Amino acid sequence: MSEASNRPAPPEVDRRAASQAAVAARRARAAVKAAIAARELSPLTVLDRATADPEGVEGRLRVTEFLLSVPAIGTTKMEEALKRLSISPAKRLGGLGRHQRLRLRQFLIERENRSERQRNRLVVLAGPTAVGKGTVSTYIRENYPDVLLSVSATTRKPRPGEVDGVNYYFVDDAEFDRMIEGGELLEYATVHNAYRYGTPRAPIEKALAEGRSVLLEIDLQGARQVRRSMPEARLIFLLPPTWEELVRRLIGRGTEDQAEQQRRLETAKVELAAQDEFDYRVVNHDVATAAREVVDLMKVRAAPSRP
Ligand SMILES: Nc1nc2c(ncn2[C@@H]2O[C@H](COP(=O)(O)OP(=O)(O)O)[C@@H](O)[C@H]2O)c(=O)[nH]1
Ligand SMILES: Nc1ncnc2c1ncn2[C@@H]1O[C@H](COP(=O)(O)OP(=O)(O)O)[C@@H](O)[C@H]1O
């Protein structure tokens, strides 16, 4: 029998006081984690406080829960980081060795610099036919002038009311081939087995360099290409509230005949099955709300600060 179990139980008041203290400490740690997650408290500040007072709230944080509270660090990234930094997941911040602390500090600084650079985001909006991609994008163009809506090149003919350079750059097949050969397109695809569509690269690079966020409204194949060539892009999948509503929107739009509608609905099923490849999903119940959600994901500044 261990020595501890022979010892008389502490008086009830002591036990209660100890458990109250434990609850208070847990609450304090949860508050620190919430503040990091809400970007109200820099992880570097927390690490510095843990160093100054290893037995304080920050010092008692486990390194695992600390990292998981940093925005955009999930379990996989956390585990990879700890392995790379040679820090045991059992460690508390206050119990890190000097070298471990310095490595963790450097890791956090590099992440902060990187997220600073990525503030101007490239965001891809994709989703099944007739979910409302075009409607939501147009709403964003009209209501959030800080966002550049990329204008694609296409080999399809303009529809009545469409303006060259605004809705699309309307080009012929030879010109589209030339753009591909010249490396002018960030991605391109044949959509609905009909015409080719592609994203001109130069305006996007210019806008990102100028500090603007860029929105691409492209199909699933294009989204996959962007993911490969620019892994820092955010991919958003726009969903209909229900399948029936998607069918209603497609039929209601009235731009395709019945056979084409059927074909698009088949494609839509395949596309819906790919939604897990995306970083975020936004349900298009109502256009203004969906647009707001997309823009929030771009972290666009509230008011333009350019002259
Ligand atoms: N990959 C790719 N797809 C695009 C591009 N521009 C438009 N699309 C997609 O092409 C499809 C057809 O667009 P559109 O001709 O306007 O007809 P809609 O289906 O009636 O909206 C839509 O799914 C768009 O998302 C582009 O630059 N690249
Ligand atoms: N939130 C919404 N609620 C109701 N109807 C919508 C909504 N968003 C789009 N629509 C309608 O659905 C149809 C398809 O939208 P569209 O933007 O052309 O889709 P996509 O570009 O995804 O093919 C259009 O008639 C549009 O007016």
Side-chain angles (χ1 to χ4, degrees):
M1 225 184 223
S2 75
E3 203 187 314
S5 57
N6 280 338
R7 237 189 269 139
E12 183 59 25
V13 275
D14 284 359
R15 251 199 329 243
R16 209 174 325 129
S19 88
Q20 277 169 357
V23 169
R26 210 176 314 129
R27 285 215 183 110
R29 287 201 299 275
V32 171
K33 287 190 282 180
I36 299 174
R39 298 177 206 274
E40 288 160 9
L41 187 56
S42 153
L44 284 167
T45 306
V46 173
L47 186 59
D48 289 344
R49 287 183 188 161
T51 310
D53 180 9
E55 290 306 316
V57 180
E58 290 86 359
R60 299 292 298 159
L61 272 180
R62 279 197 196 284
V63 69
T64 45
E65 51 178 352
F66 167 67
L67 283 176
L68 285 174
S69 63
V70 176
I73 294 190
T75 313
T76 313
K77 276 198 192 132
M78 178 267 288
E79 287 170 351
E80 279 169 8
L82 289 181
K83 209 177 286 168
R84 192 147 42 90
L85 302 170
S86 303
I87 296 176
S88 153
K91 284 269 185 186
R92 293 184 190 271
L93 283 188
L96 294 177
R98 200 175 87 85
H99 291 293
Q100 289 180 324
R101 204 166 56 235
L102 289 176
R103 286 198 296 272
L104 181 56
R105 200 159 207 293
Q106 193 55 35
F107 167 80
L108 292 169
I109 289 171
E110 279 167 19
R111 270 195 76 78
E112 227 158 70
N113 290 344
R114 211 172 330 133
S115 67
E116 195 68 27
R117 281 202 304 277
Q118 285 179 7
R119 183 154 301 154
N120 310 313
R121 294 223 169 252
L122 180 60
V123 171
V124 172
L125 184 66
T129 186
V131 66
K133 301 181 294 297
T135 309
V136 170
S137 305
T138 302
Y139 187 93
I140 291 173
R141 182 172 53 209
E142 287 168 357
N143 292 278
Y144 300 94
D146 226 15
V147 178
L148 177 81
L149 186 57
S150 163
V151 178
S152 299
T154 180
T155 56
R156 88 151 158 72
K157 299 282 164 282
R159 292 177 186 150
E162 285 184 332
V163 179
D164 187 41
V166 175
N167 304 93
Y168 284 103
Y169 293 106
F170 295 99
V171 299
D172 59 17
D173 269 311
E175 175 65 4
F176 202 92
D177 285 339
R178 199 199 56 72
M179 293 174 95
I180 295 173
E181 278 155 27
E184 291 174 26
L185 299 178
L186 178 66
E187 60 74 39
Y188 60 92
T190 301
V191 182
H192 300 312
N193 291 323
Y195 299 103
R196 289 187 292 172
Y197 296 79
T199 305
R201 185 192 299 274
I204 292 175
E205 286 175 352
K206 180 165 176 285
L208 290 175
E210 284 170 356
R212 299 179 74 185
S213 290
V214 179
L215 182 65
L216 308 185
E217 190 254 284
I218 58 179
D219 86 322
L220 180 62
Q221 311 165 72
R224 286 176 173 150
Q225 290 177 48
V226 172
R227 159 126 295 166
R228 279 196 296 274
S229 59
M230 297 179 90
E232 68 278 15
R234 279 190 172 184
L235 268 54
I236 305 176
F237 195 87
L238 197 61
L239 281 165
T242 60
W243 172 260
E244 290 70 30
E245 174 62 15
L246 184 71
V247 176
R248 247 195 310 278
R249 287 184 191 173
L250 178 65
I251 294 172
R253 184 171 63 182
T255 42
E256 291 82 22
D257 63 26
Q258 227 176 351
E260 179 62 18
Q261 283 171 2
Q262 275 316 313
R263 216 159 53 80
R264 287 190 178 213
L265 288 175
E266 288 309 312
T267 310
K269 281 185 197 150
V270 176
E271 291 183 329
L272 281 166
Q275 56 181 278
D276 288 345
E277 293 173 29
F278 284 68
D279 300 313
Y280 298 96
R281 276 169 280 188
V282 169
V283 180
N284 180 17
H285 291 285
D286 131 279
V287 177
T289 310
R292 169 86 256 163
E293 284 183 42
V294 170
V295 170
D296 280 348
L297 290 169
M298 303 181 91
K299 287 203 281 169
V300 174
R301 287 162 295 188
S305 59
R306 291 186 315 283

